[in-house]
Amino acid sequence: MEILAFGVQADEKPLIERAFHGHDEIRCLDVFLNEDTAPIAAGHEIVSTSVNADLGAGVLEILAAGGTRMVAQRSTGFNNIDLDTAGRLGMTVARVSYYSPYSVAEFAWTLAMAVNRRIVRASTRTRDFDFRLHGLMGRDMHGRTAGVLGTGKIGEAFARIAHGFGMRLLGWDVAENPACMELGMRYVPKDELLAHSDLVTLHLPLMAETRHLIDAAALKSMRDDAILVNSSRGGLIDSAALVGELRAGRFTGVGLDVYEAEAGLFFLDKSLEAIADDTLARLVTFPNVLVTSHQAYYTEDAVGQIVDATVRNVLDYREGRRSENVLVPRG
């Protein structure tokens, strides 16, 4: 049986083909799943999708009509999937509940240090043989305060790095992580964390309760010279409100690996097109903002674990087993 995999990156393709070898035939497509591409899946019982796939009701209806019975998403997040519709259609949906938290935590730190030490500006200058230091002054992280919103596996990994830098730790989550508390983290209300943190980092899932968690009011409560990093989900931040604060000259730096309207943009080459998204177009123009294309998870270690888990999810579906990765069980 052939499995159809949507949204496969060139670096990812050999890992997927190697992992499925000996189990199933798999065809990898670089196009993303949406209403226009969903008919391609006709005749495929199992499809695998990427984090930016559109798995709303309309797409699921098309897949089901074409004979698809299982969706294996290659990500932890699943806010792009209409689970109720999948259940009504009798489709099994599985995700990857765990992969290397270090990939994302380390990249979040890369963003933080890049904006703090003006690395992009410095690199651009030296390519033009401009070796001046004017405008490149950063700050020591040692002795400053890191605020971690979301202290699960990734937040904990970030906190361990911050602890290594010698930072004070503030945390906010629905449940306290004992490992973070052993590092000296103090759990406080969100407003207190935002008001007292030099560095704020987001490591939360995107749900109705967390959408625009960092809204206009939250941004105004942050320090003028704070650093804000988001390597989780774009919808956690009100992007338009963030542009407003940046226009006012606030924040030492902002590092964004995700954007709330990234679907249809991220993972694609748009360099020869006019970008209709005025908010994103403005964000990338600020000298203290660094935007990357949802690559925090993109290490050999993490992608390898994601692919291996996807293979297990497919085998579990075939054998009628159910694991912690199953979001909608077999109908």
Side-chain angles (χ1 to χ4, degrees):
M1 180 185 297
E2 183 181 70
I3 298 169
L4 193 61
F6 286 91
V8 177
Q9 303 297 312
D11 297 332
E12 185 184 14
K13 183 177 179 180
L15 296 177
I16 291 177
E17 292 177 337
R18 190 180 311 127
F20 274 94
H21 182 70
H23 297 292
D24 292 280
E25 297 262 346
I26 187 161
R27 180 156 63 104
C28 296
L29 305 178
D30 59 1
V31 298
F32 294 93
L33 180 62
N34 53 43
E35 288 200 10
D36 294 329
T37 60
I40 301 172
H44 292 84
E45 181 180 347
I46 301 171
V47 299
S48 178
T49 58
S50 62
V51 66
N52 274 341
D54 175 0
L55 285 160
V59 172
L60 290 172
E61 294 275 4
I62 296 171
L63 293 177
T68 298
R69 294 293 173 264
M70 195 255 183
V71 174
Q73 176 135 305
R74 303 186 308 278
S75 73
T76 298
F78 54 91
N79 53 283
N80 60 319
I81 308 173
D82 187 331
L83 299 180
D84 291 335
T85 297
R88 176 174 57 81
L89 294 170
M91 300 176 72
T92 298
V93 179
R95 62 160 177 164
V96 177
S97 59
Y98 174 85
Y99 60 84
S100 168
Y102 310 108
S103 60
V104 179
E106 290 172 5
F107 193 82
W109 263 104
T110 301
L111 289 175
M113 295 308 295
V115 296
N116 176 40
R117 301 306 299 270
R118 322 294 195 214
I119 297 300
V120 176
R121 182 183 298 178
S123 177
T124 301
R125 282 187 186 178
T126 55
R127 284 177 180 271
D128 292 331
F129 297 97
D130 178 352
F131 300 103
R132 293 172 300 158
L133 296 181
H134 176 68
L136 301 183
M137 184 174 288
R139 297 180 297 177
D140 290 0
M141 288 290 101
H142 180 86
R144 287 188 159 83
T145 300
V148 185
L149 293 161
T151 58
K153 292 182 176 66
I154 297 173
E156 178 188 331
F158 187 96
R160 290 188 183 281
I161 299 172
H163 183 260
F165 271 84
M167 300 188 75
R168 295 183 293 271
L169 297 172
L170 297 179
W172 180 84
D173 208 328
V174 293
E176 297 179 351
N177 184 336
C180 290
M181 296 176 72
E182 289 179 4
L183 297 172
M185 177 177 284
R186 184 166 60 91
Y187 281 85
V188 297
K190 183 188 72 171
D191 291 346
E192 183 177 342
L193 181 149
L194 294 175
H196 292 94
S197 295
D198 300 285
L199 166 60
V200 174
T201 182
L202 307 179
H203 301 291
L204 297 155
L206 179 60
M207 304 177 292
E209 298 81 6
T210 60
R211 180 172 294 278
H212 286 184
L213 182 77
I214 305 300
D215 57 11
L219 290 165
K220 289 185 182 301
S221 71
M222 292 175 61
R223 299 179 54 158
D224 287 344
D225 61 353
I227 293 172
L228 173 63
V229 173
N230 187 11
S231 58
S232 186
R233 288 292 181 268
L236 297 174
I237 296 178
D238 183 336
S239 303
L242 176 59
V243 168
E245 296 304 306
L246 290 165
R247 284 170 60 94
R250 300 189 65 227
F251 305 135
T252 289
V254 176
L256 304 174
D257 185 52
V258 288
Y259 174 64
E260 60 182 320
E262 68 182 55
L265 291 171
F266 282 22
F267 306 145
L268 299 172
D269 182 1
K270 298 290 184 178
S271 60
L272 299 180
E273 301 178 27
I275 299 300
D277 189 321
D278 291 338
T279 301
L280 179 60
R282 188 57 195 265
L283 277 172
V284 299
T285 65
F286 289 103
N288 57 334
V289 175
L290 175 57
V291 178
T292 53
S293 52
H294 205 143
Q295 69 183 82
Y297 78 99
Y298 207 53
T299 66
E300 291 181 7
D301 311 83
V303 173
Q305 291 168 9
I306 289 169
V307 171
D308 288 344
T310 301
V311 172
R312 291 195 301 273
N313 288 342
V314 169
L315 295 177
D316 286 345
Y317 165 79
R318 289 274 177 74
E319 299 298 326
R321 296 187 297 264
R322 181 174 178 179
S323 73
E324 72 280 1
N325 289 340
V326 176
L327 297 169
V328 180
R330 190 167 187 167

